[in-house]
Amino acid sequence: MPLTELPRHVAIIMDGNGRWAEKIGKPRTYGHHKGVDRAVEIVQEASDLGIDYLTLFAFSKDNWKRPENEISIIMNLMVDSLKTEFQRIVDSQVKINVIGNLNDLSEEIQNALEDITQSTANHKGLQLTLAISYESREEITEATRLIIQKVLDGVHKMEDINQDIINQNLYTASLPYVDFLIRTSGEHRLSNFLLWQSGYAELLFDDKLWPDFSKQDFHKALNEYNSRERRYGKTSHQIKQKVFAV
Ligand code: IPE
Ligand code: IPE
Ligand code: MG
């Protein structure tokens, strides 16, 4: 089936690296290596397909609870892959943005992320957002603090607070809402990822472990998105009438 309508903003919870490695008798960190290769492939595919926004859950706030060795390997992998992929990112005009509590990260990683975001800031291609040390509830709490401060400073009146103002104070201020959210590895939960932003997202839970999630699986997922009817509270009849009217 041809892709008639691409989601504008795709978000992916890339889950299952550890189980993938354990299944073949390797250390979990081997799975993270393979997971990065998959991420690079899917970013390239999203860029080639002309998707506007791709947000990848790379490391959650809760992932700090993992063994130290695993954490440090994941962090090094992120920086190394950004460096090795740098030229490809520049050539394909991908613009990189990072969301999460970046103060949690080491100075080296903060600098590497700053370098890549600054050097791709004027790119016009796919906007790739990496969620690192990210937690949706923390983001919403932080936005609440910022808004209260603005009310105290007289920037906003309390009665003017609306959804737009909330959006402007989230880490994702420059992004549209999520249209399509994919989670791999057969888990059926959001694990605190983009809760507000995915309020009307189409959800797809794929049983494949992330290192096995291929370009073909991505296409299959996009075809599934194409077959969904996004009704936003209306009736199916209303939606069809509108489609035929244009
Ligand atoms: C996702 O894979 C990657 C990160 C959370 C960093 P996991 O490491 O969670 O893999 P599983 O879920 O244990 O298999
Ligand atoms: C969510 O996966 C975070 C990332 C994919 C980066 P987890 O594997 O950490 O989530 P839980 O703990 O199973 O909910
Ligand atoms: Mg997991």
Side-chain angles (χ1 to χ4, degrees), residues 214-231:
S214 63
K215 275 197 296 198
Q216 288 70 28
D217 294 314
F218 189 42
H219 279 239
K220 239 165 76 185
L222 291 168
N223 279 326
E224 164 71 25
Y225 172 84
N226 253 263
S227 72
R228 307 262 182 106
E229 185 178 63
R230 304 186 75 191
R231 291 195 282 277

Side-chain angles (χ1 to χ4, degrees), residues 135-152:
E135 188 210 312
S136 205
R137 288 181 188 153
E138 182 179 64
E139 175 187 34
I140 293 169
T141 308
E142 184 57 25
T144 308
R145 278 198 209 104
L146 291 171
I147 293 167
I148 291 173
Q149 191 59 55
K150 286 176 189 167
V151 171
L152 292 173

Side-chain angles (χ1 to χ4, degrees), residues 57 62 134-138 190-195:
F57 205 2
D62 286 318
Y134 174 85
E135 188 210 312
S136 205
R137 288 181 188 153
E138 182 179 64
L190 298 180
S191 302
N192 253 319
F193 188 47
L194 300 174
L195 301 182

Side-chain angles (χ1 to χ4, degrees), residues 2-21:
L3 293 174
T4 49
E5 198 193 324
L6 282 170
R8 189 162 174 235
H9 184 178
V10 178
I12 308 182
I13 303 175
M14 308 181 289
D15 197 14
N17 293 348
R19 276 166 285 166
W20 182 87

